[in-house]
Amino acid sequence: MVKNEIESALKIIPLGGLHEIGKNTCVFEYEDEIILLDAGLAFPTNGMHGVNIVLPDTTYLRENRHKIKGMVVTHGHEDHIGGIAFHLKQFDIPVIYGPRLAMAMLEGKLEEAGVRDRTELRTVLPRDVVRIGKAFFVEYIRNTHSIADSFTVALHTPLGVVIHTGDFKIDHTPVDGEKFDLQRLAEHGEKGVLCLLSDSTNSEVPGFTPSERSVYPNLDRVFSQATGRLFVTTFASSVHRINMILDLAKKHNRVVTVVGRSMLNLIAHARNLGYIKCEDNLLQPLHVVRSMPDENVLVLTTGSQGETMSAMTRIANKQHPHIKIRTGDTVVFSANPIPGNTIAVVNTIDKLMIQGAKVVYGRDKGIHVSGHGCQEDQKLMIALTRPKFFVPFHGEHRMLVKHAETAQSMGIPSENMIIIENGDVIELTEESIRVAGKVQSGIELVDTTSSGMVSAKVLQERQSMASEGIVTVAAAIDWTGKLLAKPEIHLRGVVTSIDRSLLLKWVQQRIEEILSVRWSEFSAGGEPADIDWGGLQGTLEKELARSMRRELQCQPSVTLLMQIPDEPPVKVADGRRRRTRPTAQVAS
């Protein structure tokens, strides 16, 4: 039986990672089978008050959970595995394949989230091929990145081979000696690659990305010049960088104490797996190094991106319970700010300098290199794989456009490549590539303090409270729609030139006006039991907020605490109603 074109097409649906940095999540779908490639998170922007984690909208996966056959993990960065524990609370993933370090990190996350029993974790080695469902064979190809145990994957499908680069750069002198398996890429290129999905993060930067080893002599120089305590902050997952820092600490006769939960966890896993090698006595707890001479101490911390709750940020804000900056300390930022984090990073640096620290930072110092390939790395990837079709992945829009231009300069026709957004459905056949539709996409916001999702309405309310303040009004209303007493009003964070007594009088008049005009809408049944107190409360809140915008020129969030009698009035013999005592009962 000959299948029609739609049935035989491979669908590729990114749910995150396009037109942005972070939450990389991709769906591959063939007929009635889905496999996922990575499931990452992103961190909130300044306007996302109370939000800890940003995830992609997984509505499509929830609706098609019966099709999910497994997941492929490329490496252990949070923007590739950080969302998995949250997704497993909403749908099962039968099996997850990934490198040893990523699986070790993921197992701890799943245990902590209480979802370890919702999937099976299986580790892979370079050139391993695993079968997922009937349609997919996934081959793991070693690449080089800023974290150990990182892979490019070749998806063998009924239509041909699709290569997803994962995050990569081409490092010919990797710190751990694990070189990029360029030979295997070239072999696929010789046989024929149907489509290449390639990391676009550094597509605007010419040349090759420098080797991780190029950082070593520059850090060595900084370490040799530090006379007091030495603080170093970098990405917690930068295993190669951490290895070098530990080597240099030993060379310069410094004992290392690690501060920050994510870095402690990563180092523990990496040491267990042999990716970090150091003597046990090199690493010491904080209470031990506090009694040592300053020139023999190195504090390795999280917080290179100015994250609010990270160790370095709390130190800079004088909020860390055990560490205070002193004159003579040297602080090294061995990382460049991710787009969107620059202001937070420079604010942290300023605070550290004000307290007397010498802060070493900036691209010109040579103490950080990217884990993502630049234009020449990207050209080499295209030259080796020689794809028929090309899709730039992982990056903001301008990065995707520039990567497409690079691919075109390498001989890929413009009609054989597409630039897409999250939610776009790529339909790939042996002869064509096109965008065939769109699925629901966007973001889901998580408040980890309550283990709950933050809806758009809640976020809007938080933004309103943060920017305009909040007005709380307490009003007691009887069964006839009359105020029983003057309302009380409380303002928090509201800027207005109106005197408080005048404002209270205005609020009372406005409530009485609304009640006189609209009371009949909520008491249409004529009996106390028929009164729609909830609808009345919502209307009063909405009308008060609208009036304040118009009359007071401010837009605070308005909350009405409405008190009603605890019992309805009862009829007496003459047919009249006797009122009950108006005790407080807040309408829900």
Side-chain angles (χ1 to χ4, degrees), residues 258-507:
V258 181
V259 181
R261 182 185 177 194
S262 59
M263 189 167 286
L264 282 164
N265 289 339
L266 188 283
I267 291 176
H269 289 308
R271 291 189 74 196
N272 288 337
L273 295 171
Y275 295 115
I276 289 180
K277 299 180 177 66
C278 68
E279 298 171 359
D280 290 342
N281 60 6
L282 182 65
L283 296 170
Q284 295 291 337
L286 184 58
H287 72 269
V288 172
V289 301
R290 289 173 70 180
S291 62
M292 298 179 66
D294 288 355
E295 63 270 16
N296 297 130
V297 173
L298 188 153
V299 181
L300 182 58
T301 80
T302 55
S304 65
Q305 298 303 301
E307 304 96 318
T308 304
M309 296 305 296
S310 67
M312 183 54 71
T313 303
R314 287 187 292 140
I315 292 170
N317 291 333
K318 301 181 181 179
Q319 294 174 346
H320 196 282
H322 306 298
I323 302 174
K324 307 297 179 188
I325 290 296
R326 299 195 294 261
T327 301
D329 290 340
T330 298
V331 181
V332 180
F333 276 73
S334 186
N336 291 330
I338 293 171
N341 292 346
T342 302
I343 293 176
V345 172
V346 297
N347 285 342
T348 300
I349 290 171
D350 277 348
K351 292 172 183 177
L352 292 167
M353 294 178 73
I354 289 171
Q355 295 174 57
K358 174 186 177 183
V359 184
V360 182
Y361 66 97
R363 299 177 188 274
D364 60 315
K365 301 299 189 300
I367 54 176
H368 174 69
V369 292
S370 176
H372 300 270
C374 296
Q375 289 176 5
E376 297 304 315
D377 302 79
Q378 294 168 351
K379 288 179 183 177
L380 183 53
M381 175 63 72
I382 294 169
L384 290 170
T385 56
R386 296 153 59 181
K388 183 174 184 178
F389 300 108
F390 176 75
V391 183
F393 251 57
H394 293 186
E396 295 171 347
H397 182 72
R398 66 186 186 281
M399 301 170 185
L400 306 179
V401 170
K402 189 63 181 179
H403 202 176
E405 292 174 359
T406 297
Q408 194 167 355
S409 75
M410 295 290 294
I412 299 179
S414 59
E415 61 269 22
N416 282 17
M417 64 180 78
I418 51 177
I419 295 173
I420 57 174
E421 299 178 346
N422 293 330
D424 283 347
V425 179
I426 300 175
E427 216 169 69
L428 181 66
T429 70
E430 294 178 358
E431 301 300 330
S432 66
I433 186 170
R434 69 189 183 105
V435 176
K438 198 172 184 69
V439 304
Q440 182 170 324
S441 63
I443 59 175
E444 294 177 350
L445 307 176
V446 181
D447 182 346
T448 55
T449 60
S450 62
S451 301
M453 293 293 182
V454 180
S455 68
K457 180 182 178 181
V458 169
L459 182 62
Q460 186 177 14
E461 289 175 349
R462 290 179 177 181
Q463 290 170 336
S464 175
M465 285 188 282
S467 60
E468 299 288 346
I470 182 170
V471 175
T472 303
V473 178
I477 300 173
D478 69 11
W479 296 102
T480 65
K482 299 290 190 297
L483 283 174
L484 292 171
K486 290 182 180 180
E488 295 182 8
I489 183 169
H490 299 277
L491 283 70
R492 292 291 184 272
V494 178
V495 178
T496 178
S497 59
I498 298 178
D499 181 81
R500 184 181 180 84
S501 60
L502 292 177
L503 181 60
L504 179 59
K505 184 178 180 181
W506 179 85
V507 168

Side-chain angles (χ1 to χ4, degrees), residues 15 24 53 61 147 321 437-438 479 524 571 579:
L15 297 178
N24 300 290
I53 290 171
L61 294 176
I147 187 173
K438 198 172 184 69
W479 296 102
K571 291 183 178 180
R579 294 192 181 186

Side-chain angles (χ1 to χ4, degrees), residues 95 147-148 187 246 283 326 476 478 543 560 567:
V95 61
I147 187 173
E187 291 171 358
L246 295 175
L283 296 170
R326 299 195 294 261
D478 69 11
E543 291 298 329
L560 177 70
E567 294 178 4

